[in-house]
Structures are given as C-alpha cells and as structure tokens.
Amino acid sequence: MATKSAEHAHIEHLVATRLPGSPIYQFLLSTVQITSASRGLCIARLPLTQVHMNSGDSLHGSVTATIVDWMGGMAISTHDLRDKSGVSVDIHVTYQSGAKVGEAIEIEGIAEK
C-alpha cells in the first residue's frame, strides 16, 4: 500500500475530527472518502443516498452547493495543512447532469493560493 501524502493524511484528519462538529456536513458528508490530496488539490468520493436527493430523485442543488463550499475549504487546507480555511464568499455551480441514489460522485477541489 502506498504511503499517503502529508496533505492526504491532514484532510482525512480534518474529516474525522471536524466534520462531526458541523451538523450539515455530518448529515450530508458522513460517508465521504478522501481519495487523494496534494498541495492545492483534494479529491473525494461520495456515495449518494436518499438524503442527497430532491423531489425529482436527483441530486439536490443545495447539496451540491454545500459540497462545493466544503471541498473549497479542504483544497485550501492542503496548502499549509491549516485546520481552518475561512468562509466562502462566492460559490458558482454549473450543472452538467443529475446524479441518482446509488451512484457515487467524484468531488475535486483546486485552490491556487
């Protein structure tokens, strides 16, 4: 098994210790798995369940915005292994297609600074 980078280990630590302290993140992201992390980049996988769906049985837009908010913070934290990344002030989401229960989505966060 390959050794995880310091950034990967740090993000997994944040997920294990900080996610439980946020009710919305705990509710929506309790099954998230960090698959990779390096300086400025974080990649995760999230299996989708019914709690993630809208009334049309597709991934809810508010869930997507929450994921973008969370992943932005994770990507920022990879730069210097910080525990806190600040607050989001502008989030833009472009939708390509709907995701359904039972599918897993890949979440990629990139932070240049």
Side-chain angles (χ1 to χ4, degrees):
M1 178 182 222
T3 303
K4 294 179 183 174
S5 69
E7 294 88 356
H8 190 152
H10 179 67
I11 298 303
E12 285 186 337
H13 174 75
L14 290 180
V15 168
T17 60
R18 310 268 318 188
L19 199 107
S22 170
I24 190 66
Y25 288 163
Q26 179 62 31
F27 180 68
L28 295 175
L29 300 172
S30 62
T31 60
V32 73
Q33 303 157 354
I34 304 302
T35 59
S36 177
S38 58
R39 189 166 195 252
L41 175 66
C42 185
I43 301 172
R45 184 175 182 279
L46 178 67
L48 299 177
T49 66
Q50 192 60 46
V51 302
H52 300 112
M53 300 298 121
N54 62 22
S55 61
D57 289 324
S58 186
L59 183 61
H60 198 290
S62 67
V63 173
T64 304
T66 301
I67 290 169
V68 170
D69 178 57
W70 170 78
M71 181 53 86
M74 296 297 99
I76 290 168
S77 292
T78 65
H79 273 276
D80 55 8
L81 308 182
R82 68 181 75 184
D83 289 334
K84 296 183 180 181
S85 61
V87 297
S88 298
V89 294
D90 185 25
I91 295 176
H92 178 83
V93 179
T94 301
Y95 299 93
Q96 295 178 335
S97 64
K100 306 289 184 190
V101 169
E103 296 178 347
I105 58 172
E106 183 177 89
I107 308 158
E108 181 177 322
I110 300 171
E112 295 179 2
K113 297 182 185 182

